[in-house]
Amino acid sequence: MSTMTVRGIDEKTAEALKEKAEREGSSVNALTLRLLRQSLGLEKRKRSLTYSDLDHLAGTWSREDAAEFEQNTAVFERVDEEMWK
């Protein structure tokens, strides 16, 4: 296994690496190695994305809101048998 030093990393890139490593719970070194392997085609990228932009809405509906939603979307549960012939 080789050891390499990368010089000339600007502050913006260094900060982005540190933040991404912290978000992923890994070290900057492990993240850098993974990104290098991926960019060289030696490791496939994981395709799972996690979205949290609607998390603040989770659990905010009342029972009445849920019932109204179910009533108003019930039409989408019907299957048009003629279309499937």
Side-chain angles (χ1 to χ4, degrees):
M1 190 166 291
S2 298
T3 300
M4 301 180 108
T5 300
V6 179
R7 292 187 179 95
I9 298 174
D10 61 275
E11 288 300 316
K12 189 175 181 179
T13 302
E15 190 60 34
L17 283 168
K18 289 176 189 176
E19 289 174 4
K20 185 171 179 69
E22 187 174 320
R23 277 193 315 272
E24 294 182 4
S26 70
S27 68
V28 172
N29 188 71
L31 171 67
T32 303
L33 287 172
R34 184 172 53 78
L35 293 173
L36 282 169
R37 284 188 208 104
Q38 288 174 350
S39 68
L40 295 169
L42 302 174
E43 183 178 305
K44 292 186 179 184
R45 296 178 188 208
K46 294 181 181 175
R47 297 259 178 193
S48 62
L49 296 175
T50 302
Y51 296 99
S52 58
D53 51 340
L54 298 177
D55 286 356
H56 66 283
L57 297 174
T60 60
W61 280 8
S62 66
R63 289 181 191 248
E64 293 79 21
D65 292 335
E68 182 181 351
F69 177 81
E70 291 291 329
Q71 180 182 359
N72 290 327
T73 58
V75 66
F76 301 120
E77 298 294 322
R78 287 191 224 125
V79 176
D80 186 345
E81 298 294 334
E82 288 297 315
M83 289 183 72
W84 292 97
K85 288 185 179 183

